[in-house]
Amino acid sequence: MATPSASSSSSSNIMLAIFEKKTTSVELYRPLRNYIAFNYSEREAQNLEDDLQTLKQYRADLERMPDPTPTARRDLLQNYFKALCLVETRFPISPDKDHVNTVTFTWFDAFKPKQKAAQQNIHLEKAAVLFNLGAVYSQIGLTYDRATVDGRRLASHAFIAAAGAFAYLRDNAATKAAIGGGATVDVGVECAGMLERLMLAQAQESVFENTIAKGSTPGVCAKISRQVGLYYEEALAALNVAPLNQHFDKGWISHVQLKAVLFYAEACYRYSLELHEKEEIAEEIARLRSAVSAITESKKSAKGAPAQLLDAISKLEVLDASKEKMFASLVPDSSAKALSRYTEMVDDVIRTQAEKLQQASELTRVRLKEMDLPDSILALEGNFTLPTELKEDVEAVQISGGPAGLEAELQQLRDLRRVNQEMLVQIEELLQKEAREDAQFRGQFGTRWTRPQSSTLTKNLQDRLNRFAANLKQAAESDGRIERSVREHSALMSILDRRPIESALPSLARPIMSLDANEDAVVGALKQSLRQLETLGAQRAGLEDMLKEMKRKDDILPKLMTSTGSYEDLFRKEISKYDRISEDIAHNIEAQEQLLLQIQAQNDDFSAIFNLEDYKASREKCYKQIQAAIAKFREIKENINEGLKFYVTLQDAITNVKQQCNDFVMTRNIQCREMTEDVQRQMAGLNFQDNKNAGAYNNYPLVGHQNQRSNSQQQADSRPQAPYYQPPEQPTMPGYGPPPPAYSSPQVPSPYHVPPTSVPYPHPQAQQQQSHASHEYGQPAYPGWRGPYYNAHAQQSGSHPRPPYTIPAPYPPPHQSGYYKQQ
């Protein structure tokens, strides 16, 4: 039952150790594996094979007694108990058909080996393992040499650990094991409590022995010895009542009773020695008579040290299975639901506290903006700031070149307009030159020159050129309006060229005269309060980060999986860790409210001294001036961009027309050469084809085609004459007919707009494949900000004036031979 141990011949030094309970063999591996395969999957069972084998080995080692050393036995019991905690939450062991119902645990009483208990639940198994753990600790305590200081200290720690194991058994496992009346007395609440007091008494007795060895004062020795006696008295009281009074041998009762009496007498003796040293003989005698009551009063102070040790050991952190990985992949539905509920509780706490922090920060922002802080303080120091949106707009204007860059863009408009005008002049000169040459040959050869006149073939080209010229004229007028607007608003927009733009803002000056000269004190106090407010804001940011980090680390699933008590108790304990940070948040918000009231009062004094209202009015006026300048700059910039797009698009259109004119002139020159040769042969009597050429030139060949002369053309004289050149028919250009109406008309498209996907004037050989709807180069002009950009007078269709480019052609008449080579 118990093993006595003594460090000397004195009977008072005898201490007791507890024998372990014994058990029978139990098969855990197969029932648990079958449960996993049936309720989860065979693959899961295979994955957990190592855990199942480990559990099986723990139980087999437990059945083999004893282990080589008490410490190895202790480690085995601790590991097995933690494994049992994990099994309890994942494998329901009971007679129920849906549970693990083939496992029965059998244990014998440690003090009455003939008595045994058998249960189909894990509670008896856990209670028995805890009992054996306390017993092993008591055996370890007896292994130390209590004749030495270190031996007595280590023995004391071992007995305290044993007391902790029995206390854990009493508080957590004894009641569950006793359900149904199937447990033995040794794992009951009464026996576990008695053994806890006995182990505490022996631990305190080891402390008393060390106190005597160190030569401590009689008063200290008296208090400690009295505490030893009290623990023995409590153990004796438990042994004298049912059910323990019929369960333990009388030797137990006699031993505990003797210890209680001896340490009571020791306490009285040590206390009398303290009085004797003070030479208070009369009081010494009186104290010996009343030693019991005097030492009893010291019970509370003497009890503190071992009680603290017991409290630490009773938690038995070595038995905490929440960090164990065994069977971690098995999460029952009940645990998953409990985790979800706890997560919702945490999310609610986090959300509530985060909203408080955000509301406090928003309140600070609004209140400071109402008081125009810290902008007014910065303005006093010369550190001006623009509103963020306004500053971004100014930076965008300056990046684009600012008002100073508008002149370069206006010059681009002039250059593009000049290029377009020069191209029109070149085209007109080219057509006029060809027409003059045709007229000269017609006058030279008379009726023999049978091809159509140039004017009948170039009417469409001339119409387009007229429309281009009209658009260019209107564009020049719009460009002029843009340039006038730039000149008229240059003073307004000049503020945008200030760098930095803050230099354009008015300054907040100190008062010229002051009655009490306390400006610096007012400003200093206000700045100090603002710094404190900034510190509180930084604290809130840190608190919010702490909340997020706490939530990230808050994983209670392992504790849920090992908890055998109420989930609600666990939730209350775990959620309470957020109480401290919630209090810190509340203190921060309260401090901010008080500080904002203080800042409001200080800002009122600041505003009065520095005439802040007048400064605000002048600053707002400057803001509005900057906004107006930005609006005007954007308006001018937009119109310039429209003009640039117009000129570039128009240049493409004129280039296409120029290519058509070049093709036309080249073809006419080739035809002119061939016709000249034929006419000269006729005049020289060298015509070998009677009347064939007269009709050959009625069909004007396309560029690259050879004239076809055959006998089949002898009937050409009887057919109506066709023009020598018949260009592909062009669609009527809506913008190049009558000049466009006022641009303000909602039906008129953007004047500068030319559909980018169309090729207005394709090469003659490809033009026939273009859709007529794609030739849009008669658009109205682009708009200005004062009505329509183009303000051309309305004209009737066909009444366009000739282009103003009527410069006489510098080219000499063609050579008499009729051969003309294009320059």
Side-chain angles (χ1 to χ4, degrees), residues 45 104 175 559 678:
T104 301
T175 302
K559 295 181 180 179
D678 288 346

Side-chain angles (χ1 to χ4, degrees), residues 353-542:
Q353 299 304 321
E355 288 177 354
K356 290 181 179 180
L357 292 172
Q358 293 169 2
Q359 290 172 359
S361 298
E362 180 64 16
L363 176 64
T364 300
R365 187 189 67 80
V366 172
R367 294 286 297 277
L368 289 180
K369 185 175 182 180
E370 291 174 350
M371 292 183 283
D372 200 34
L373 291 173
D375 291 349
S376 56
I377 295 292
L378 295 175
L380 182 63
E381 298 173 347
N383 299 322
F384 305 102
T385 59
L386 280 177
T388 302
E389 185 177 356
L390 185 59
K391 184 174 179 62
E392 291 176 352
D393 290 343
V394 172
E395 290 176 348
V397 168
Q398 292 178 344
I399 290 174
S400 67
L406 292 178
E407 179 57 36
E409 297 186 9
L410 289 174
Q411 185 59 44
Q412 288 182 342
L413 284 179
R414 301 186 194 104
D415 293 341
L416 287 173
R417 186 173 67 246
R418 176 181 53 76
V419 169
N420 283 309
Q421 289 173 344
E422 291 175 352
M423 289 176 64
L424 286 180
V425 170
Q426 293 171 5
I427 295 172
E428 181 65 22
E429 290 175 348
L430 187 62
L431 294 178
Q432 289 178 357
K433 179 176 177 292
E434 192 280 329
R436 286 196 303 271
E437 292 175 353
D438 180 70
Q440 289 176 1
F441 282 113
R442 192 174 304 280
Q444 178 180 352
F445 296 112
T447 58
R448 293 185 181 88
W449 196 258
T450 59
R451 71 173 183 175
Q453 293 184 1
S454 296
S455 59
T456 63
L457 301 176
T458 60
K459 184 179 184 304
N460 288 338
L461 293 175
Q462 292 289 356
D463 289 343
R464 290 187 212 119
L465 295 177
N466 290 339
R467 287 192 288 270
F468 289 157
N471 277 354
L472 279 174
K473 180 180 179 182
Q474 292 174 329
E477 295 173 357
S478 294
D479 294 345
R481 287 197 296 273
I482 293 177
E483 294 181 5
R484 286 194 300 273
S485 181
V486 171
R487 291 193 300 271
E488 292 170 359
H489 298 95
S490 60
L492 171 65
M493 294 188 295
S494 63
I495 194 172
L496 299 178
D497 286 325
R498 300 280 291 273
R499 295 177 185 269
I501 187 63
E502 288 79 7
S503 63
L505 297 177
S507 60
L508 178 61
R510 292 178 175 271
I512 299 176
M513 298 183 61
S514 176
L515 298 178
D516 50 9
N518 66 339
E519 298 91 346
D520 292 338
V522 171
V523 172
L526 182 55
K527 291 169 66 175
Q528 177 65 24
S529 297
L530 290 175
R531 284 193 291 268
Q532 294 175 0
L533 190 65
E534 185 177 359
T535 301
L536 289 176
Q539 291 176 358
R540 283 196 301 277

